[in-house]
Amino acid sequence: MRQPAHLALTCLLALAATLATPLAPAAQGQAAAPLHIRIGYLGYRPAAGPLLSNVIPEPGDAGLQGAELAIVDSNSTGRFLKQQFQLTSANVDSPEALLQAARAQHEQGLRLFVVNAPAASLRALATALPDSLLFNAGSPDDSLRSSQCLGNVLHSLPSRAMLADALAQFLVLRKWQRALLVVGQTPDDQAYAAALRRSVKRFGVQLVAEKTWTFDNDQRRSAQADMPLFTQTAEYDVVLVADERGDFGEYLPYQTWYPRPVAGTQGLTPTGWHKTVETFGAAQLQKRFEAQAGRWMNDRDFAAWMAVRSVASAASKLRLAEPRALQQLLLSEQLPLDGFKGRKLSYRPWNGELRQPIPLVQPRALVSTSPQEGFLHPFNEMDSLGYDKPEVTCSYP
């Protein structure tokens, strides 16, 4: 039966009024509730000691600039969700001052921290702040991801094992099967060399010889005489170098006994981030960073940026900033993260390390990115880099 015109009009007006009715106060309050998220930045880098080469030093604000840019990026998107992010930073010159700064920030109510510090300081902070979530943006130490896991720490900086595996895959791809390993004398050099030994064994590269650098002279004046004789041994396809501080490694390229490439801490270098990474939107990130900092973005900057963005992504989904809830979500693999590396990133639930592709670079060019094609994994190809679940002996989280 056809309805009268006035009855149809009445129904339409009632429907419009229903659609225009405001949300219930509770629902409206839930949607509009602002969220203020405070993050602490804790930076401490030990003095590098006397250098035997005139290498370009790492910027004093490495890491901090990345965290500050991530705060700006997070607030750009967060204002639409009524979320505000704030960074409280402390760059100090001793482990004791770092712990003191952390406790001061904790007393102010901060429970989320980005840490750019050596492994020993990170362990001390994790113990001192058991109710907090820490992001390791400064230590590549392998034991933190394999045998001495810290239950309240996530790692946004790649481990030495990840870097070495990324390089070893490329060596296999290029059929550089025989390597000479040159190792410096510092503990960091020894740790990097251990990661290289593990990787070449894992991927089937042969070490034809290993030599320790014991010279204490400045190679600017004597590299042409010292290096060829020092690298004289059984024939090799590549020279692997472990010289994190930069005492001698810069003078190995073009000075080896056989005319071979150099890779490791110098030459062809695996790293978490580099100026030459420009695809998948990375060029825009690079430009924003350079406009802010007046320099290139390095691996510490990217790790700190990634740490803050991880917090922002998790907090936006949960609408809260409780450390354990954020950590649980980030470890659940249900929150893919964008790191401008061509793949969605996530944290490994067995050790808290960020899965991420590793660029292989020379000083002014991107050479390749690992994992290399053909290196497969049952679940995630990025887990072919670093310590896989069966290799981790510590309990996490």
Side-chain angles (χ1 to χ4, degrees):
M1 182 177 178
R2 188 174 180 180
Q3 295 180 346
H6 71 278
L7 181 59
L9 179 61
T10 302
C11 293
L12 288 174
L13 291 175
L15 177 61
T18 301
L19 294 175
T21 301
L23 296 174
Q28 190 177 31
Q30 182 180 5
L35 182 62
H36 185 204
I37 302 170
R38 296 189 295 165
I39 302 173
Y41 176 88
L42 301 169
Y44 160 61
R45 306 305 305 175
L51 299 180
L52 302 182
S53 64
N54 59 342
V55 296
I56 301 173
E58 182 174 298
D61 59 356
L64 177 59
Q65 289 285 353
E68 290 179 343
L69 178 62
I71 291 292
V72 174
D73 292 346
S74 300
N75 281 326
S76 296
T77 56
R79 69 176 183 269
F80 298 105
L81 302 173
K82 295 189 177 181
Q83 297 175 355
Q84 181 183 10
F85 298 86
Q86 178 184 348
L87 188 72
T88 302
S89 63
N91 254 328
V92 299
D93 57 4
S94 72
E96 295 77 16
L98 185 73
L99 194 57
Q100 183 177 0
R103 286 172 173 155
Q105 292 183 6
H106 188 270
E107 289 176 0
Q108 296 170 17
L110 278 71
R111 297 295 183 271
L112 301 168
F113 298 91
V114 178
V115 182
N116 178 13
S121 292
L122 184 63
R123 292 188 184 97
L125 291 173
T127 301
L129 307 173
D131 61 345
S132 302
L133 177 59
L134 285 66
F135 287 83
N136 171 25
S139 174
D141 186 85
D142 284 333
S143 66
L144 297 176
R145 285 90 160 169
S146 60
S147 59
Q148 301 175 21
C149 299
L150 303 172
N152 57 341
V153 175
L154 296 174
H155 307 276
S156 55
L157 186 75
S159 64
R160 291 187 178 97
M162 284 186 67
L163 302 178
D165 284 349
L167 179 58
Q169 287 188 8
F170 183 76
L171 300 184
V172 173
L173 186 70
R174 295 303 305 270
K175 296 182 170 57
W176 297 344
Q177 298 287 352
R178 299 168 298 174
L180 165 65
L181 176 60
V182 182
V183 186
Q185 301 183 59
T186 70
D188 288 342
D189 296 342
Q190 298 295 325
Y192 196 97
L196 287 173
R197 293 188 201 99
R198 169 189 171 273
S199 294
V200 297
K201 181 179 180 181
R202 186 183 193 189
F203 292 103
V205 177
Q206 177 190 0
L207 285 182
V208 300
E210 179 176 332
K211 294 193 174 186
T212 301
W213 181 262
T214 58
F215 296 77
D216 59 0
N217 58 315
D218 190 334
Q219 286 299 300
R220 285 176 292 183
R221 297 176 178 84
S222 57
Q224 193 169 351
D226 292 341
M227 290 301 184
L229 293 176
F230 180 76
T231 56
Q232 185 178 7
T233 184
E235 188 171 0
Y236 43 82
D237 301 316
V238 61
V239 176
L240 299 179
V241 56
D243 176 27
E244 289 199 354
R245 194 170 67 173
D247 284 332
F248 63 90
E250 302 293 345
Y251 300 102
L252 272 169
Y254 312 107
Q255 303 284 7
T256 55
W257 181 258
Y258 297 104
R260 300 292 186 266
V262 173
T265 52
Q266 283 79 27
L268 178 64
T269 304
T271 182
W273 191 258
H274 194 262
K275 162 63 179 174
T276 56
V277 177
E278 295 182 323
T279 55
F280 306 109
Q284 286 70 33
L285 176 64
Q286 303 274 23
K287 289 178 181 178
R288 294 201 309 274
F289 182 86
E290 290 168 21
Q292 171 188 288
R295 60 172 178 82
W296 293 355
M297 189 180 211
N298 65 18
D299 58 341
R300 261 66 176 179
D301 294 312
F302 180 76
W305 181 88
M306 198 69 228
V308 174
R309 294 298 293 150
S310 297
V311 170
S313 298
S316 295
K317 184 168 184 177
L318 294 176
R319 300 297 179 93
L320 55 83
E322 198 280 318
R324 290 295 160 263
L326 296 180
Q327 183 181 16
Q328 185 176 4
L329 176 60
L330 289 169
L331 291 171
S332 70
E333 305 184 44
Q334 297 177 2
L335 184 68
L337 302 170
D338 186 9
F340 299 103
K341 288 191 171 186
R343 303 190 187 190
K344 291 300 181 180
L345 314 184
S346 59
Y347 288 89
R348 293 169 176 154
W350 55 86
N351 64 0
E353 184 169 35
L354 183 68
R355 296 183 178 97
Q356 56 182 307
I358 300 297
L360 302 172
V361 303
Q362 57 164 308
R364 292 187 178 271
L366 174 67
V367 177
S368 186
T369 301
S370 290
Q372 299 292 324
E373 186 176 353
F375 288 87
L376 305 178
H377 187 274
F379 305 106
N380 191 321
E381 291 178 6
M382 286 187 286
D383 287 337
S384 66
L385 306 178
Y387 283 90
D388 203 357
K389 185 175 182 179
E391 301 174 287
V392 173
T393 59
C394 51
S395 177
Y396 180 89

